[in-house]
Amino acid sequence: MKPSILYWSDALSARLSERAAADGHTLVQQILRDEAVPIDTLLDQLAGDALILECKEGQELEDIAALERCTAVQAGLPVMLLAAPRSEALLLAALQAGVREVLLNPPELDAFSHALHRLGKLKKSSNADPQKRAKAVAFVSCKGGSGATFLATNFAHLVAQAHKKNTIFLDLDLQCGDAVYYVSAGPNKSNITEITRQIERLDNKLLASSVLHVAPNFDLLSAPEEPEASYAMSPGQLERLVDVSASHYDMVVMDLERVVNPLTAQALDMADVVYLVMENLLPFLRDAKRLVEKFREMGIEDRKIRLVVNRYERNDIIDVAQIERVVGLKVSYTIPSIFQDVAQAINTGTPLVQVNPRSPILDVLKEMAGELEPEKPRKSETWLSRLLGV
Ligand SMILES: Nc1ncnc2c1ncn2[C@@H]1O[C@H](COP(=O)(O)OP(=O)(O)O)[C@@H](O)[C@H]1O
Ligand SMILES: [Mg+2]
């Protein structure tokens, strides 16, 4: 797991960080506490998936009160408190604030390891709840010009607007990404390069100050403006970016380069669903087949992949059955070709829904978004509801 630690003692933080690393965890944020900085300010910056909080003797209850405010916002955040001595009143207050572990400060390293392990189990079980975890999806174009960026941007816009999900769009087409222009007047003041430079201190605040607010609930992190500024972003850096995004947003939409490299592999691995966008023309078919084979070699399961045939024209030569046979995957969605609407949307940097709210393309995007909604638990039928038919 990747907890943050707020600490008073450098020596303690170093020892715990070393032990956490030996156990396969990373203390992603190590924040030195300072009497002059209120703890609420520090808690606001949390990026990790758990928190280790060192308390100063005599200030435990103040810290716990601040924690209670914080866990009210970040529900389910696993917290470990390091405090001495552990009075009954303190334990009770900690319990009420949702703290899961209280260790005597400074903790014995073995006790710390065990407590961290227990927090890790907690995190996994809360992640296992599909209602709570942010979804991540990736769009990949089988061949340049398939329509992946157009569909990805409008999909993100729809999820943000119609489903009211707090959505971030990550333009990971680092060489020639231009997604920002599809839904806004672009360009943005900051982009993914800036974030990568400061990845070590990436948190919700830095992310929020780097994105472009395209529409309510819809933020976009653009690709570098100049192609020569493109740089190598490591898979580890991308993992951190997606993790921070997922902790802050409800939906992460990634637009990927077509090339399969360690970076795209990382993104594909983190995506819950991968939309492979193609057309029903022979060159697209060949590339789709090749990509699907690559994906399989990389261990990406077929159940994650959705084959999307864009600009689908009925013709006798290449129909859905033919595509499925050649590519070796079911076609999940077909999208009609509507030049007028799409050209107007792209040329003016306007989301499709504002150009034509009744566009049939939107119907398919809605279906795609609907598929990601967790199934609502069915209301249990009672004799009364059966009788009343409700
Ligand atoms: N359903 C569609 N109907 C008509 N034109 C489309 C459709 N989808 C995409 N296009 C056009 O295809 C072009 C390429 O789209 P883009 O999203 O940039 O492709 P990619 O990201 O796969 O390279 C755009 O200029 C857009 O006008
Ligand atoms: Mg593109």
Side-chain angles (χ1 to χ4, degrees), residues 7-18 32 54 106 109:
Y7 65 94
W8 290 105
S9 147
D10 277 324
L12 174 78
S13 174
R15 271 177 58 225
L16 298 186
S17 169
E18 198 176 306
L32 178 62
E54 184 187 10
L109 287 179

Side-chain angles (χ1 to χ4, degrees), residues 378-390:
R378 287 202 335 152
K379 269 201 276 177
S380 57
E381 271 187 310
T382 62
W383 62 271
L384 186 64
S385 67
R386 269 199 304 275
L387 260 182
L388 298 175
V390 290

